């Protein structure tokens, strides 16, 4: 039977995730700071409300999909935070990619108020969000994950329990550090081939069936025109922002320092994305790192 869900954060990911919950028969009360994002959700059948507090009032489940730790802590914690409004026993699914320590902090505060919460960051990109095939990487109590299953299954295909609160974020950060490295490596490789006279389509086809293949060459090629559905073929609009990738590589660097691990390639990728962002590309899709590798035209 359909439940009532308060959904906050209707961006590139949250928008389509909310639509899949509506398709699964749930009633959604939605809130975002951007009016256009709200309009799109209303067209899909959601009810827009004028504040986050209204979105969580009288609902069965709360779902948030926000940019970073500061947005999540700002929304849930403090005297006017949402944890003060959410009814005891209401299940909360926090799906943003944030620092594991932030996830633990919010989840501890929720537990003290009798509010069950899981961190459930996702992988699979905007394509996965639209298709309802996301991978959810969950941290929290097994019983809370079980209760969350029907909602996660409406938005995703693979659901993993990584461990206790915050563990979902650790696993997600590890995955995204690898993604950042692989995308930069793919962009560098394609630029090398093209600079040596290869056609980017032919080279991409070869790599996709050879040992260098990866998610970028299979689904998200960074060279414009190679894959019609990829952001690279649409001026790098939409998708996963450079600044969001930079945030995740920063989280990986923090996790690395805290555990005294060594992540030299992760650090190199973080510096590449930082430079790319500083050149005014922060809002483009992260595959636009490709443009850093174009060879200057000979005059
Ligand atoms: P986005 O910037 O497109 O969307 C975030 C939305 O949150 C925006 O619409 C913004 O207005 C809204 N928001 C921010 N603060 C708010 C507040 N206080 N109240 C209400 N709304 C608020 O980002 P996105 O690409 O959808 O990513 C969301 C999260 O998912 C990030 O943590 C990101 O790292 C992660 N993620 C993104 C992708 C991707 O491919 N885009 C993939 C996996 C994970």
């Amino acid at each position: 039977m359909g439940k009532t869900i308060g959904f906050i954060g209707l961006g590139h990911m949250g928008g389509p995730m909310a639509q899949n919950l509506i398709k699964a028969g749930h009633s959604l009360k939605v809130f975002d700071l951007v009016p256009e994002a709200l309009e799109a959700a209303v067209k899909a059948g959601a009810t827009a409300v004028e504040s986050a507090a209204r979105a969580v009032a009288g609902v069965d489940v709360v779902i948030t999909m926000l940019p970073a730790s500061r947005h999540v802590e700002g929304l849930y914690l403090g005297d006017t935070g949402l944890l003060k409004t959410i009814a005891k026993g209401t299940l909360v699914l926090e799906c943003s990619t944030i620092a594991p320590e932030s996830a633990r902090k919010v989840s501890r505060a929720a537990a003290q108020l009798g509010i069950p919460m899981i961190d459930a960051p996702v992988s699979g990109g905007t394509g996965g969000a639209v298709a309802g095939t996301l991978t959810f990487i969950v941290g929290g109590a097994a019983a809370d994950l079980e209760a969350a299953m029907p909602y996660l299954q409406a938005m995703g295909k693979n659901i993993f329990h990584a461990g206790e609160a915050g563990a979902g974020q650790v696993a997600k950060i590890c995955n995204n550090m690898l993604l950042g490295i692989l995308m930069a490596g793919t962009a560098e490789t394609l630029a090398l081939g093209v600079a040596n006279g290869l056609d980017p389509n032919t080279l991409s086809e070869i790599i996709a069936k050879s040992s260098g293949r990866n998610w970028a060459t299979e689904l998200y090629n960074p060279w414009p025109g190679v894959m019609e559905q990829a952001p690279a073929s649409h001026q790098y609009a939409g998708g996963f922002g450079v600044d969001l990738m930079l945030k995740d590589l920063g989280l990986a660097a923090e996790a690395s320092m805290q555990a005294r691990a060594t992540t030299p390639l992760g650090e190199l990728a973080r510096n590449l994305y930082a430079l790319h962002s500083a050149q005014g590309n922060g809002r483009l899709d992260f595959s636009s790192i490709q443009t850093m590798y174009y060879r200057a035209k000979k005059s």
Side-chain angles (χ1 to χ4, degrees), residues 8-14 31-34 65-67 71 75 96-97 122 125-126 172 239-240 244 247-248:
I8 301 165
L10 303 159
H12 293 118
M13 298 295 286
F31 177 68
D32 193 289
L33 301 173
V34 176
M65 191 50 163
L66 303 171
H71 305 92
L75 187 73
S96 328
T97 304
V122 307
T126 44
K172 167 67 186 168
F240 180 45
L244 288 178
K247 171 203 63 165
D248 291 356

